[in-house]
Amino acid sequence: MPLLPDRLDVVARGVGCALAAIPSTVLVPLPLSLALTRRYHREDLLRELHWMVAWARFCRRHLLGIELEVHGREHLPRPSRGHLYVSNHQSWADILVLMEALDTVAFLSKTLVKRIPFIGRCAYAGGSIWVERDDAASRRQALREMLRMCEVSTAVVLFPEGTRSPDGELRQSIHPASLRAAFQHRLKVVPVGVDGTCRVLPKSMDRVRPGRVAVSIGAPLDPAAFSDAALWSDAVWGRVKDLHLEARARVR
């Protein structure tokens, strides 16, 4: 019972995020992006049309109370096609934080996000890929779509842990299939480390506690420098671990 006010606060902030998305998607960007662009081959035009990054910044500042610190933006490729972003995953707040830090709307995400009014449709238009985690066919299709999106349009954000960390620590194991597929398709990887979001919005979703969050962005890793996919995926995740520790040092 003592947690009820906190849970109501979380729900209220979530509703606030959804309502805040209405002017930033419905008035101009979403209709234009769907009418004038295709899902692929339109990265630069979509960045001009949709305002979802501004929406993420508003929600991060005013609804979650996150003080964001980003390091390494000079490593972001422009255009980002031919790359894949790989990050650790602590919280739902990672989505808002990384949209702003990486200037992107494209994520490999659960189909739950697809069903959120306004937000889901605009995220799809911006390059997000949907996956049903417990459906093998859906996972294979999502992997094909993610690779195509990265190759011909815009880099997608991948969370190899597959789900949020319960305590902010990196999970003991990851799902390496996507990283190994990136190796085979010769996609460069931009490693990213995030820390602090788990304290703002934990996996239990029972409270929102405003605070500091840091994002560290590393230089792109080229698969051409590695002899096989296993070494490659180990190196990518090792770099994410290092960047996570760098981010943690900045918020503690």
Side-chain angles (χ1 to χ4, degrees):
M1 186 63 68
L3 289 178
L4 184 57
D6 286 336
R7 290 188 183 277
L8 290 175
D9 179 56
V10 172
V11 172
R13 291 172 191 262
V15 171
C17 283
L19 293 176
I22 295 176
S24 62
T25 61
V26 175
L27 295 183
V28 175
L30 181 55
L32 283 179
S33 64
L34 294 179
L36 303 179
T37 68
R38 296 181 296 169
R39 183 157 164 76
Y40 302 98
H41 302 288
R42 77 301 168 253
E43 176 191 35
D44 296 331
L45 181 57
L46 257 182
R47 182 172 288 110
E48 295 176 7
L49 293 179
H50 74 65
W51 301 336
M52 286 295 285
V53 172
W55 165 79
R57 184 181 299 110
F58 173 86
C59 294
R60 186 268 298 172
R61 285 178 178 171
H62 302 292
L63 296 179
L64 296 184
I66 292 175
E67 179 186 343
L68 180 61
E69 184 177 341
V70 182
H71 294 265
R73 276 201 175 106
E74 67 274 12
H75 297 309
L76 293 177
R78 288 293 181 261
S80 69
R81 63 181 63 93
H83 293 76
L84 173 69
Y85 297 129
V86 175
S87 175
N88 65 302
H89 195 13
Q90 292 190 337
S91 165
W92 276 107
D94 294 339
I95 307 299
L96 299 176
V97 165
L98 291 177
M99 283 174 64
E100 182 178 352
L102 304 177
D103 190 24
T104 187
V105 186
F107 289 78
L108 180 63
S109 180
K110 292 188 293 188
T111 53
L112 171 65
V113 178
K114 179 181 180 180
R115 302 185 183 101
I116 300 176
F118 312 119
I119 296 172
R121 190 60 188 168
C122 202
Y124 177 85
S128 283
I129 309 295
W130 312 122
V131 59
E132 196 68 52
R133 193 165 52 192
D134 297 327
D135 185 329
S138 175
R139 293 197 302 270
R140 290 192 295 269
Q141 177 63 24
L143 178 58
R144 288 193 292 268
E145 288 190 32
M146 184 190 77
L147 293 170
R148 183 184 175 194
M149 182 65 69
C150 290
E151 288 174 335
V152 304
S153 188
T154 187
V156 176
V157 181
L158 170 70
F159 299 119
E161 292 168 291
T163 188
R164 292 159 288 159
S165 166
D167 56 5
E169 301 297 331
L170 271 65
R171 301 179 73 86
Q172 293 297 314
S173 61
I174 64 171
H175 302 281
S178 297
L179 294 180
R180 294 180 180 182
F183 176 84
Q184 294 167 355
H185 285 252
R186 291 298 185 257
L187 289 176
K188 295 180 180 179
V189 162
V190 178
V192 181
V194 181
D195 193 70
T197 51
C198 60
R199 290 184 293 279
V200 174
L201 184 63
K203 188 173 184 178
S204 59
M205 300 282 285
D206 59 5
R207 66 183 184 277
V208 174
R209 198 172 283 168
R212 295 178 61 208
V213 170
V215 175
S216 292
I217 304 167
L221 298 174
D222 191 339
F226 296 84
S227 59
D228 63 63
L231 289 174
W232 158 257
S233 58
D234 288 346
V236 168
W237 192 242
R239 187 66 182 120
V240 171
K241 289 180 179 179
D242 293 341
L243 291 166
H244 169 245
L245 293 177
E246 287 183 21
R248 173 163 292 184
R250 292 190 170 100
V251 296
R252 292 193 174 181

